Amino acid sequence: LVARNNPSARVVEVGCGTGQAARFVLSRFPNLQWICVDPMTGTFVGEDQHQNYLEHLRDDLASGKVRFYREPSPDATHHFEPQSVDVVLLDPGEYSHEKFAGHLSAWLR
């Protein structure tokens, strides 16, 4: 819905994994600014799959349409001015309630 109302919205995806969500959404809303945040440590996705992900988004990364930060979610927030992101996609599945709340609070500053 955000993409329909704001086609150039800034979207942060925390825990981008193999990049399927980014590729899917960007194929339908190519003017979005997509920001991927993933520490890529201790995840079920291996390093080779992350490299494959980056390869699929090579053109978008080169153009600046997609940015990638390889760091924990709360640490990545310093790259952005407060309230400069339109949407944060944060999967609560791999976090405890307290950890999820901490990540969410960091992005809502």
Side-chain angles (χ1 to χ4, degrees), residues 3-85:
R4 289 187 180 138
N5 294 323
N6 181 1
S8 61
R10 292 178 84 190
V11 178
V12 172
E13 179 185 10
V14 175
C16 53
T18 60
Q20 289 178 334
R23 289 193 303 271
F24 176 80
V25 175
L26 288 171
S27 71
R28 284 149 181 82
F29 301 98
N31 294 323
L32 289 176
Q33 298 173 48
W34 201 271
I35 298 126
C36 303
V37 176
D38 198 320
M40 292 191 230
T41 58
T43 65
F44 67 93
V45 178
E47 181 67 28
D48 57 330
Q49 289 175 300
H50 282 291
Q51 291 305 317
N52 187 37
Y53 163 73
L54 295 175
E55 181 62 27
H56 282 293
L57 292 174
R58 178 185 38 182
D59 293 339
D60 292 327
L61 286 162
S63 72
K65 181 170 132 180
V66 173
R67 285 189 284 160
F68 186 85
Y69 296 101
R70 187 174 185 165
E71 58 191 312
S73 167
D75 296 344
T77 62
H78 78 275
H79 296 287
F80 306 95
E81 293 295 321
Q83 301 180 2
S84 66
V85 173

